[in-house]
C-alpha cells in the first residue's frame, strides 16, 4: 500500500469515527436519561446469560450428592436469576424501541435544521447535495439504531469475556475459542462496509428514478 493510500484509509477512518460521534451525540441528547438506562439494562440482561450454566452445574452437583438444602437454595437462585434476566430483557427491549423512535424524530429535525440553515437555495439544486440528503433520510432508521447496536456489541464482548472466564476454570484450552471468532468479526466488518458502499452507489439513480 502506497503512502497516499495509507493516508486515504486513515482519513476515511477518522471521517467515520467523527461521523459516528456526531450520530451518537444526536441520539444521546434526544433522550439522555433513557439512553443511559437502556445501556445499563441491555448490558445487565446480556451478562445474566453466562451466569446461568454455572448455577445449573451447582444444582446438578447438589442433586447428585443428595444435598437437599443446597439443591433448594440453588433452585431458588436459578429462578431468581432467570426471572430477573427476563424482566430486565423486556425492559431493555422496550427502551431500545422507544429510543429508536425518538432517534428517528431527532434525525429528521437535525436534517431539516442543517439543510434549512444554509443560506440561499442554490445548494438545494445541486445533485451531490440532494444525494447526501436523500442518503441521510433513507438511513434514519439505521442511524437511530446505532447506539443500540453499539451497546449490544459492548454487552456481547463483555458476555464473551465472562463466558471465557467461566470456561477457563474448566480448562485453559477453552481460551483458544477466541481465535475462531476473528473470521466472523472480519466478515461482519467487510459486509457492513460493502452494504454502506452499495447504498451510496445506488442513491443517485434511486433518487432520479423517483423524480
Amino acid at each position: 500500500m502506497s503512502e497516499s493510500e495509507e493516508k486515504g484509509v486513515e482519513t476515511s477512518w477518522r471521517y467515520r469515527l467523527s461521523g459516528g460521534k456526531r450520530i451518537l451525540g444526536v441520539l444521546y441528547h434526544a433522550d439522555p436519561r433513557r439512553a443511559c438506562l437502556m445501556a445499563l439494562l441491555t448490558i445487565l440482561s446480556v451478562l445474566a446469560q453466562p451466569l446461568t450454566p454455572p448455577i445449573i452445574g451447582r444444582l446438578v452437583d447438589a442433586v447428585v450428592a443428595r444435598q437437599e438444602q443446597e439443591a433448594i437454595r440453588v433452585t431458588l437462585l436459578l429462578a431468581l436469576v432467570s426471572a430477573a434476566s427476563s424482566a430486565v430483557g423486556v425492559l431493555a427491549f422496550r427502551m431500545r424501541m422507544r429510543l429508536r423512535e425518538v432517534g428517528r424524530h431527532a434525525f429528521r429535525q437535525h436534517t431539516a435544521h442543517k439543510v434549512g440553515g444554509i443560506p440561499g437555495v442554490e445548494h438545494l439544486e445541486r445533485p451531490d447535495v440532494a444525494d447526501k440528503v436523500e442518503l441521510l433520510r433513507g438511513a434514519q432508521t439505521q442511524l437511530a439504531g446505532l447506539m443500540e447496536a453499539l451497546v449490544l456489541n459492548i454487552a456481547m464482548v463483555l458476555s464473551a469475556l465472562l463466558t471465557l472466564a467461566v470456561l477457563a476454570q474448566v480448562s485453559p484450552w477453552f481460551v483458544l475459542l477466541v481465535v475462531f471468532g476473528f473470521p466472523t468479526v472480519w466478515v461482519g466488518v467487510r459486509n457492513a462496509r460493502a452494504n454502506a458502499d452499495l447504498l451510496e452507489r445506488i442513491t443517485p439513480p434511486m433518487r432520479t428514478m423517483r423524480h
Side-chain angles (χ1 to χ4, degrees), residues 4-17:
S4 60
E5 291 177 344
E6 291 180 356
K7 290 183 178 179
V9 172
E10 183 179 357
T11 303
S12 176
W13 276 106
R14 287 183 178 180
Y15 179 78
R16 293 174 184 273
L17 288 176

Side-chain angles (χ1 to χ4, degrees), residues 37 151 166 184 197:
L37 187 59
V151 171
V166 173
T184 303
D197 293 340

Side-chain angles (χ1 to χ4, degrees), residues 23-24 27-28 34-36 38-43 45-46 89 92-104 107 140-156:
I23 294 171
L24 291 175
L27 292 174
Y28 176 78
R34 183 175 277 111
C36 294
M38 180 274 294
L40 177 62
L41 292 177
T42 299
I43 292 176
S45 64
V46 174
F93 176 77
R94 296 185 63 179
M95 287 289 178
R96 291 197 298 270
M97 293 301 101
R98 178 58 179 167
L99 188 61
R100 185 179 296 185
E101 181 181 350
V102 173
R104 283 198 297 266
F107 274 114
Q140 285 178 354
T141 300
Q142 289 83 355
L143 294 177
L146 179 61
M147 181 176 290
E148 172 189 345
L150 178 63
V151 171
L152 284 173
N153 285 329
I154 293 175
M156 293 303 296

Side-chain angles (χ1 to χ4, degrees), residues 193-207:
R193 182 76 175 273
N195 288 336
D197 293 340
L198 177 62
L199 185 60
E200 291 181 3
R201 289 197 302 270
I202 67 175
T203 295
M206 291 295 292
R207 181 177 60 83

Side-chain angles (χ1 to χ4, degrees), residues 50-181:
L51 298 177
T52 304
I55 297 177
I56 296 177
R58 288 180 56 186
L59 177 60
V60 173
D61 293 339
V63 172
V64 172
R66 296 183 179 181
Q67 300 174 351
E68 296 183 3
Q69 296 297 327
E70 178 67 14
I72 293 174
R73 286 195 295 267
V74 176
T75 300
L76 293 176
L77 177 61
L78 180 60
L80 178 62
V81 171
S82 299
S85 177
S86 299
V88 171
V90 171
L91 289 175
F93 176 77
R94 296 185 63 179
M95 287 289 178
R96 291 197 298 270
M97 293 301 101
R98 178 58 179 167
L99 188 61
R100 185 179 296 185
E101 181 181 350
V102 173
R104 283 198 297 266
H105 179 67
F107 274 114
R108 284 195 293 268
Q109 290 185 321
H110 182 75
T111 303
H113 176 73
K114 290 296 183 181
V115 175
I118 301 175
V121 296
E122 180 184 358
H123 61 285
L124 298 176
E125 300 176 356
R126 290 173 50 185
D128 57 333
V129 175
D131 289 339
K132 291 180 180 179
V133 173
E134 185 72 17
L135 183 63
L136 182 59
R137 288 175 177 171
Q140 285 178 354
T141 300
Q142 289 83 355
L143 294 177
L146 179 61
M147 181 176 290
E148 172 189 345
L150 178 63
V151 171
L152 284 173
N153 285 329
I154 293 175
M156 293 303 296
V157 170
L158 294 176
S159 177
L161 293 176
L162 182 58
T163 302
L164 286 176
V166 173
L167 293 176
Q169 296 179 359
V170 179
S171 173
W173 289 102
F174 281 115
V175 180
L176 295 177
L177 291 174
V178 178
V179 178
F180 296 97

Side-chain angles (χ1 to χ4, degrees), residues 177-192:
L177 291 174
V178 178
V179 178
F180 296 97
F182 285 116
T184 303
V185 175
W186 181 80
V187 171
V189 172
R190 292 292 297 243
N191 183 55

